[in-house]
Amino acid sequence: MTLLQSITDALDIAMTSDHTAVIFGEDVAFGGVFRCTVGLEEKFGKERVFNTPLCEQGIAGFAIGLSVAGANAIAEIQFADYIFPAFDQIVNEAAKYRYRSGNLFDCGSLTFRATWGAVGHGALYHSQSPESYFAHTPGLKIVIPRSPAKAKGLLLSCIRDKNPCIFFEPKILYRSAVELVPTKDYMLPLGKADIMLEGSDVTLIGWGTQVHVLREVADLAQEKLGVSCEVIDMVSILPWDKETIFQSVAKTGRCIVSHEAPYTGGFGAEVAASIQEECFLNLEAPVQRICGHDTPFPHIFEPFYLPDKWRCLEAIKKVTNF
């Protein structure tokens, strides 16, 4: 399956296994602009799969109300760049609903799906990675898959989790990421990182699309520098798997965190700060962050903005020569 097919499959399974599940958002009834909901309206009917007005704040508010009323709300935000009008509803209402009611009420059966990250031609309004904005908010779970098999299991986990979840989907991987995906119903744990490649010299940490860049960088480092890299996919931004990352950094003594979002205030800063708190005596070099630049996301200059394999390779040289 491609990544988009695995997401469609997960949504189909969720709708089949839970009669309260409802999918809604801009253009989802005819399949969505990326075709992730193709065939679902025909299969489950217009009462369970339907379009909304172009109003992200309204989509989020409606989703929260639907969840509180007992439905399993699966809301699509067409692009993560346009999730910001819904920001207040998500961080001030959804994330705090259980807390403010003293656990009398909650909106746990609530998932926001949104396309995420660079796509090659998206420019400033169709390329952003806003995960760190939401990571500052207790009460949310944030997940970014790297592959079709991970996407299916993680999306089903989000839909069935009793906390509001944001599921960011790397849109450049929708059709380019292809692998064998189990057709059965399965879930994968939230908050558990994956060690994709074991190594001994440098820990490389990323999520979503960037994991594939780091995997390529690890091969380059081995080939050109003789450096053994351990590649970790964080999988979940909130909660994040500190134990796996700390154990890896304690072993390698060097760490590089890489993401597409801008350098300042990106989630890599949180990871780097936590590593120096817990692994300071194990570090052989300062933790490096290789990220997008502190500018709006460019159009024709996208190749210079993204943290590509050559920028990451330079960081490996820097930490190994420190």
Side-chain angles (χ1 to χ4, degrees):
M1 292 184 192
T2 61
L3 190 135
L4 76 84
Q5 289 170 331
S6 73
I7 287 168
T8 307
D9 191 34
L11 293 172
D12 192 334
I13 290 171
M15 297 284 282
T16 301
S17 60
D18 182 356
H19 73 279
T20 71
V22 181
I23 296 172
F24 51 93
E26 296 159 15
D27 303 320
V28 299
F30 79 86
V33 294
F34 292 100
R35 319 305 293 154
C36 287
T37 52
V38 166
L40 297 181
E41 185 201 49
E42 291 83 352
K43 183 171 182 178
F44 298 103
K46 295 182 178 180
E47 292 185 349
R48 296 184 65 196
V49 182
F50 52 87
N51 292 334
T52 64
L54 202 162
C55 178
E56 287 79 12
Q57 185 178 15
I59 292 170
F62 176 74
I64 293 166
L66 204 59
S67 172
V68 171
N72 194 332
I74 307 167
E76 178 178 306
I77 305 295
Q78 201 167 88
F79 288 90
D81 312 59
Y82 297 123
I83 203 169
F84 298 117
F87 193 78
D88 175 62
Q89 289 292 321
I90 295 171
V91 305
N92 269 339
E93 305 301 337
K96 298 174 174 64
Y97 210 96
R98 178 182 284 114
Y99 178 81
R100 70 187 280 227
S101 71
N103 204 30
L104 290 174
F105 309 102
D106 69 80
C107 56
S109 298
L110 172 60
T111 304
F112 294 99
R113 293 177 46 246
T115 65
W116 169 96
V119 70
H121 48 76
L124 66 167
Y125 287 139
H126 298 84
S127 305
Q128 295 177 72
S129 304
E131 64 272 11
S132 63
Y133 290 100
F134 296 98
H136 197 61
T137 307
L140 298 176
K141 293 189 176 183
I142 305 163
V143 180
I144 309 173
R146 68 170 186 270
S147 68
K150 295 292 291 186
K152 179 178 175 178
L154 290 168
L155 180 54
L156 283 168
S157 294
C158 285
I159 291 169
R160 292 163 178 168
D161 197 271
K162 293 307 176 187
N163 297 280
C165 296
I166 302 176
F167 189 80
F168 287 123
E169 300 167 8
K171 53 187 171 289
I172 199 170
L173 300 181
Y174 270 146
R175 291 173 175 82
S176 62
V178 184
E179 66 180 351
L180 293 174
V181 178
T183 55
K184 66 178 181 179
D185 182 343
Y186 67 94
M187 297 164 62
L188 293 173
L190 307 181
K192 179 62 179 172
D194 289 339
I195 299 176
M196 295 180 62
L197 178 70
E198 293 194 357
S200 57
D201 298 324
V202 183
T203 299
L204 306 179
I205 302 169
W207 49 88
T209 312
Q210 195 62 18
V211 170
H212 301 286
V213 176
L214 295 178
R215 186 66 180 80
E216 190 176 355
V217 170
D219 292 339
L220 274 173
Q222 186 68 61
E223 176 190 337
K224 294 182 177 294
L225 307 174
V227 172
S228 171
C229 294
E230 183 147 293
V231 180
I232 297 179
D233 175 9
M234 282 186 55
V235 181
S236 299
I237 301 299
L238 208 63
W240 62 285
D241 187 355
K242 296 181 180 180
E243 183 180 357
T244 295
I245 287 172
F246 293 162
Q247 287 177 354
S248 176
V249 175
K251 176 178 70 174
T252 65
R254 302 172 183 86
C255 180
I256 296 167
V257 189
S258 187
H259 55 69
E260 291 181 8
Y263 183 88
T264 300
F267 197 71
E270 175 67 24
V271 176
S274 298
I275 288 170
Q276 73 86 20
E277 280 182 359
E278 296 295 327
C279 308
F280 183 75
L281 296 178
N282 301 102
L283 289 172
E284 301 290 343
V287 178
Q288 299 295 301
R289 289 178 286 151
I290 309 302
C291 313
H293 298 297
D294 288 339
T295 69
F297 202 104
H299 188 192
I300 60 171
F301 295 121
E302 180 177 302
F304 304 102
Y305 177 90
L306 291 174
D308 64 13
K309 60 186 177 183
W310 304 114
R311 285 174 59 194
C312 294
L313 188 64
E314 284 302 311
I316 291 174
K317 292 178 184 176
K318 183 175 179 179
V319 296
T320 52
N321 294 327
F322 184 78

